[in-house]
Amino acid sequence: MYVRAERFAQGGRSVGHLDDGKIVFIDGLFPGEEAEIEIVETKKDYCLAKPLYVAVKSPDRRPSPCPFSDKCGGCQWLELSYEAQKNAKQEILKDMFSDLACEIEEPVFGPELGYRSRARFQYQISNGKASLGFCAENTNQSVQITSCPVADSAMNDIIRRPPKLNAWELKNRELSCITTDDGVLYNDKTGWITVGDRRLPVSNNVFFQSNLILLPKMIDYVVSLVQGPKVMDLYSGIGTFSAYLEDQYEVTAVEINKFCLALAKSHLKKTQFFTSPVEKWNPKSRAVNTVIVDPPRVGLDKNVPAMIASWNPERIIYVSCYAPTQHRDIKRLEELGYKTQSLKMFDFYPQTPHTETVAVLTRR
């Protein structure tokens, strides 16, 4: 079966059509390329496929900068030139939010390689020697590696010289690592990372952004958008945004993860904290000027947009790592009396189709 890739879809697959007109999503094929494909899954309205042989290659296709990319499933777009990645991400974003009459601001890009400061490795010992790797694409099989082009230099040092650990020190033979001011931290230890003019506490047990090159730029951008005096920081994590706001505004942080809040309290001095799922934390009366939301990929609980709107904030700043759920939630907020003013993309994850996006909404 032969198909031509027409464009990228959200998620990074390319889109084509079979001879009968049915939509097909293809992994590993870039727009403009033609290939013989194998159907791997069939649905009612579409099917999924993989290329068996690429007959016509895109001029944007390049040799992979990683010797393990043919087996490792970590970087979907490694063979796509970075300039083409930038263009594709901007087009996907514009298409996703085309129904909103808002400004799409100039995106922020950084280095395409050597940026990643967090990773979860598969840990193996063979003949008394430890090695690290990642899961092969769509499997639980481990691909052992000796380097990773997207990882930072400290992380690559750990890959080349893995720590020797006992089985009880590992969970499911996984080793989570994060680069801190004092080197790479693994297991349950807590460390500190300097971001801009603040030091933030981190651990492998909680979420923290993996691109320390672009993170200060995104924080500065979010802080520049805030209007006070009262700010709500929902899904606050370890208090990343609150840290840069509490000296100027009256900040309330809400986070369900108690360990996140313990870390937040270790460095925040003026922020008021609440341990609760955001959707269950709804004070009867809440005067607030700006609400910041930075939810996980699933987005906001269905009740949260109405809860936020009931507080009548002048401004909502929505930070997201997954545009489809962000778009869904923004549409709900617009139905509740808000207008999307702008969207700005930060390319936190080069070599993948993923991005970080900041949306600004104001009360109509």
Side-chain angles (χ1 to χ4, degrees):
M1 191 176 299
Y2 201 75
V3 72
R4 181 179 185 275
E6 301 163 11
R7 59 182 175 81
F8 279 122
Q10 176 67 40
R13 292 187 173 111
S14 58
V15 182
H17 288 82
L18 302 180
D19 291 340
D20 61 3
K22 192 171 188 177
I23 295 174
V24 57
F25 296 98
I26 316 110
D27 281 313
L29 205 62
F30 302 146
E33 295 189 324
E34 299 177 14
E36 182 182 352
I37 63 169
E38 176 187 354
I39 303 297
V40 296
E41 189 173 352
T42 300
K43 302 287 187 178
K44 180 180 178 181
D45 299 321
Y46 66 92
C47 55
L48 306 179
K50 65 179 182 180
L52 298 175
Y53 169 72
V54 182
V56 177
K57 293 186 178 181
S58 166
D60 295 321
R61 185 178 285 274
R62 66 180 178 182
S64 171
C66 176
F68 309 101
S69 61
D70 59 331
K71 296 178 181 178
C72 176
C75 298
Q76 195 173 343
W77 280 1
L78 260 177
E79 294 185 23
L80 186 65
S81 74
Y82 192 41
E83 198 60 36
Q85 291 183 40
K86 293 178 182 180
N87 293 334
K89 290 180 178 184
Q90 291 175 80
E91 289 301 316
I92 291 171
L93 185 70
K94 288 177 183 177
D95 183 62
M96 172 66 65
F97 293 93
S98 61
D99 57 342
L100 302 178
C102 67
E103 176 189 3
I104 297 184
E105 296 187 6
E106 193 71 22
V108 178
F109 298 102
E112 63 167 310
L113 301 174
Y115 67 86
R116 189 171 182 87
S117 62
R118 290 194 67 194
R120 187 171 68 245
F121 297 105
Q122 302 292 308
Y123 187 96
Q124 287 189 0
I125 297 180
S126 178
N127 298 322
K129 186 177 180 180
S131 63
L132 301 180
F134 294 114
C135 279
E137 190 171 7
N138 299 322
T139 75
N140 291 323
Q141 294 181 344
S142 178
V143 177
Q144 301 307 105
I145 62 175
T146 56
S147 64
C148 176
V150 300
D152 64 23
S153 59
M155 199 71 68
N156 269 295
D157 286 342
I158 287 289
I159 295 172
R160 285 188 288 268
R161 293 179 289 274
K164 292 185 178 180
L165 303 172
N166 297 312
W168 60 267
E169 297 180 272
L170 298 167
K171 182 179 180 181
N172 300 323
R173 288 197 169 274
E174 290 182 348
L175 183 68
S176 294
C177 298
I178 183 169
T179 302
T180 70
D181 292 349
D182 297 318
V184 175
L185 192 74
Y186 55 88
N187 289 341
D188 297 332
K189 299 173 185 176
T190 299
W192 295 84
I193 293 177
T194 300
V195 181
D197 60 354
R198 298 294 297 256
R199 294 183 77 226
L200 305 177
V202 295
S203 164
N204 289 302
N205 290 325
V206 301
F207 173 79
F208 194 77
Q209 290 288 0
S210 61
N211 192 323
L212 298 182
I213 299 170
L214 292 192
L215 179 58
K217 296 179 180 180
M218 187 182 75
I219 291 173
D220 287 346
Y221 178 69
V222 170
V223 169
S224 74
L225 298 170
V226 171
Q227 296 177 347
K230 296 186 178 182
V231 180
M232 191 82 71
D233 185 4
L234 305 182
Y235 310 92
S236 59
I238 59 102
T240 301
F241 294 122
S242 296
Y244 300 85
L245 295 169
E246 67 171 6
D247 287 340
Q248 187 175 354
Y249 303 103
E250 181 183 327
V251 180
T252 301
V254 182
E255 169 61 49
I256 187 175
N257 188 306
K258 293 181 179 180
F259 190 65
C260 277
L261 283 178
L263 290 178
K265 290 176 181 179
S266 72
H267 73 110
L268 299 176
K269 307 304 179 187
K270 303 174 183 177
T271 299
Q272 184 179 18
F273 302 98
F274 289 91
T275 306
S276 171
V278 169
E279 62 272 17
K280 294 183 179 180
W281 184 82
N282 188 6
K284 302 243 181 232
S285 175
R286 175 60 61 178
V288 60
N289 302 97
T290 298
V291 174
I292 300 171
V293 294
D294 186 6
R297 284 173 61 88
V298 295
L300 305 179
D301 179 270
K302 63 181 180 180
N303 298 318
V304 170
M307 183 178 77
I308 293 173
S310 73
W311 303 334
N312 207 27
E314 301 154 23
R315 176 162 291 195
I316 301 169
I317 303 170
Y318 192 140
V319 183
S320 174
C321 64
Y322 192 54
T325 52
Q326 183 185 37
H327 176 265
R328 177 202 67 199
D329 296 336
I330 285 175
K331 293 293 287 184
R332 292 176 180 169
L333 288 164
E334 289 207 334
E335 292 170 359
L336 292 163
Y338 284 82
K339 164 69 178 172
T340 308
Q341 296 295 325
S342 64
L343 285 162
K344 191 175 184 70
M345 182 184 79
F346 293 80
D347 191 22
F348 271 37
Y349 317 101
Q351 315 312 325
T352 81
H354 306 297
T355 62
E356 199 84 5
T357 310
V358 180
V360 182
L361 296 91
T362 56
R363 192 172 55 207
R364 292 186 189 274

